[in-house]
Amino acid sequence: MGNRLKAALSEGRLQRGLWLNLPGAVTAEMAGQAGFDWCLIDGEHGPWDPSAIRTQLIALEGTGTEAVVRVPVAEDWIIKQALDLGVKTLLVPMVNSADEAAAVVRACRYPPDGVRGMGAMVARAGRYGGIEGYAARANDDICILVQAESRAAMEDLAAITSVDGVDGVFIGPADLGADMGCRDDLANPALWDAVADGIATICQGGKAAGIIVGGANAEARMIDLGVTFLGCGSDAALLQTALSELAAK
């Protein structure tokens, strides 16, 4: 078992990845073969279809690129489904407080440390019973990343970061900007000052800081601030841009 992405983040090594918003195993396989450190299957702003996500996970597994899944909401039963699919790294959106972060950790852990249901022996996570002692090791192997994307989350960020079991905090600039009143002005300096302060808080708390931005200059700035879980784009956005540019010729 083990989790290479969790180990890399805990060591402070930069890990670049791609958002997978398009369904289907072919795109996932192509993205995995491209050489990213991780690819994130987006079940929040992409389809939440466990059967389809299973095929994407299998496709990524053959490429050596680590798979991350973003669940649509921080509900115990949804987190359980994702973990039983064999997901070892989760991104959980809209976590607004330390209490909510702690609840996410409990949902990811087997008793006595949490409330995850004991079903992996008949699921892909435990290779349908083929991994002896899966439950004894799973709590330590799961990488838990929570999203701070509201003013409430930013105000409680130091406490969220201090929650035992949270491996990293990902700042969502689009939702944070909307909550700050600059939905249509995401270049607003106030938003990026808040992002910079948030990254500093996460790093000071000893956790991995994450974000997704576009463009080499923006990526370089985030790396300088201390981000180690760096989203470099989305398959859907990249395809749309390429198609539009080709059509414009």
Side-chain angles (χ1 to χ4, degrees):
M1 292 172 65
N3 187 330
R4 291 182 299 167
L5 180 57
K6 180 173 181 173
L9 293 175
S10 70
E11 294 166 4
R13 289 188 275 130
L14 176 63
Q15 302 291 289
R16 290 185 171 91
L18 181 75
W19 243 243
L20 300 179
N21 292 103
L22 299 176
V26 174
T27 305
E29 185 177 30
M30 291 172 65
Q33 290 176 343
F36 295 102
D37 297 305
W38 53 268
C39 285
L40 182 143
I41 301 166
D42 191 356
E44 183 190 20
H45 294 297
W48 178 251
D49 181 343
S51 294
I53 290 171
R54 175 182 175 275
T55 66
Q56 290 174 293
L57 291 169
I58 292 170
L60 282 171
E61 198 170 74
T63 70
T65 294
E66 291 294 301
V68 182
V69 168
R70 177 159 70 173
V71 294
V73 66
E75 292 284 350
D76 288 8
W77 68 274
I78 289 178
I79 290 172
K80 176 170 60 179
Q81 283 190 342
L83 294 177
D84 282 356
L85 284 172
V87 177
K88 293 189 289 186
T89 302
L90 283 185
L91 181 62
V92 182
M94 295 293 181
V95 174
N96 296 313
S97 69
D99 286 344
E100 291 180 10
V104 168
V105 173
R106 288 194 297 273
C108 291
R109 288 182 167 174
Y110 285 121
D113 303 314
V115 296
R116 181 181 173 188
M118 298 291 294
M121 66 288 297
V122 293
R124 183 171 182 270
R127 294 184 184 173
Y128 311 99
I131 299 179
E132 186 176 350
Y134 171 83
R137 290 176 284 171
N139 287 0
D140 291 331
D141 285 342
I142 303 301
C143 181
I144 302 170
L145 307 173
V146 299
Q147 283 192 239
E149 43 194 341
S150 68
R151 288 173 294 172
M154 300 303 280
E155 289 167 3
D156 206 31
L157 191 55
I160 292 171
T161 301
S162 70
V163 172
D164 183 39
V166 169
D167 295 290
V169 181
F170 182 95
I171 297 177
D175 282 298
L176 177 59
D179 195 40
M180 290 176 62
C182 48
R183 181 196 64 196
D184 302 318
D185 180 24
L186 292 183
N188 193 305
L191 168 61
W192 294 100
D193 287 345
V195 168
D197 290 343
I199 293 170
T201 298
I202 298 164
C203 293
Q204 288 166 7
K207 302 297 174 70
I211 200 166
I212 182 169
V213 291
N217 290 338
E219 291 175 8
R221 185 188 176 205
M222 293 302 107
I223 294 169
D224 287 343
L225 288 171
V227 166
T228 52
F229 184 80
L230 181 64
C232 300
S234 155
D235 59 354
L238 289 166
L239 178 60
Q240 180 61 50
T241 297
L243 291 173
S244 297
E245 289 176 352
L246 180 61
K249 296 177 183 178

